[in-house]
Amino acid sequence: MAKGVFSTNLFSDPLLGGWHILRGLLVGLLVLSLVACSGFKSAPPTSVIEQAVVQQFEQTQQALQKQLFSSKSAPPALQIGHIDVDRTQRTSGDQTTYRIQGTYTLSGKSLSRSLRQIRNPFEIYLQSQDKGQTWSLLPPKG
């Protein structure tokens, strides 16, 4: 071999740690294959989240209306719009339940007054069933 020119074998040179690189790559591939085979589930679609937020709001509104309004007075007509999801995460220990947090805009009319509130916070829990084909709104934790 000519002076100043050298050759090295990546796998035999302990300074380059070729085996460590190869071992790291194999471990990475193994982890990826295990994740792919574990039935990784995706988060609920936006349309499901929107329906769940509206459903939870309506349930809460109905409970409040029973307490606050007599049967003679009409409760205000309120609508939810512009739902923004800030955070979606799986709950610990359960791979099918998601905790979803965000905000929504509330608008409507009460008597002669218009109402518009923006950035109202929400927190819902959705549980996947049938491999993500069906979602259930769980009662609020509290």
Side-chain angles (χ1 to χ4, degrees):
M1 202 181 280
K3 189 175 180 181
V5 177
F6 62 92
S7 173
T8 184
N9 184 342
L10 179 65
F11 299 109
S12 64
D13 189 346
L15 295 176
L16 294 177
W19 287 112
H20 295 290
I21 294 171
L22 183 60
R23 190 175 358 163
L25 288 173
L26 289 175
V27 168
L29 287 173
L30 179 64
V31 168
L32 284 175
S33 66
L34 289 175
V35 168
C37 294
S38 68
F40 181 75
K41 295 176 178 65
S42 63
T46 304
S47 61
V48 171
I49 294 171
E50 290 172 351
Q51 291 172 1
V53 170
V54 170
Q55 182 180 352
Q56 185 176 31
F57 177 79
E58 288 174 349
Q59 290 171 350
T60 303
Q61 185 182 19
Q62 288 172 359
L64 288 172
Q65 286 175 356
K66 286 180 184 178
Q67 295 176 2
L68 298 176
F69 297 99
S70 68
S71 59
K72 296 177 184 176
S73 63
L78 302 173
Q79 294 177 335
I80 290 183
H82 196 72
I83 297 172
D84 286 324
V85 175
D86 298 328
R87 187 173 187 190
T88 301
Q89 69 183 65
R90 286 191 177 138
T91 58
S92 60
D94 187 353
Q95 295 297 311
T96 62
T97 302
Y98 290 84
R99 175 183 178 208
I100 303 160
Q101 297 173 302
T103 58
Y104 62 89
T105 299
L106 182 65
S107 60
K109 286 192 172 192
S110 175
L111 300 175
S112 62
R113 237 176 78 179
S114 290
L115 168 72
R116 182 169 169 87
Q117 295 178 341
I118 57 172
R119 306 223 21 102
N120 294 291
F122 72 83
E123 177 178 88
I124 58 173
Y125 290 85
L126 291 172
Q127 186 172 49
S128 173
Q129 298 168 350
D130 300 328
K131 297 179 182 177
Q133 299 298 315
T134 307
W135 293 89
S136 296
L137 177 62
L138 301 179
K141 294 187 177 187

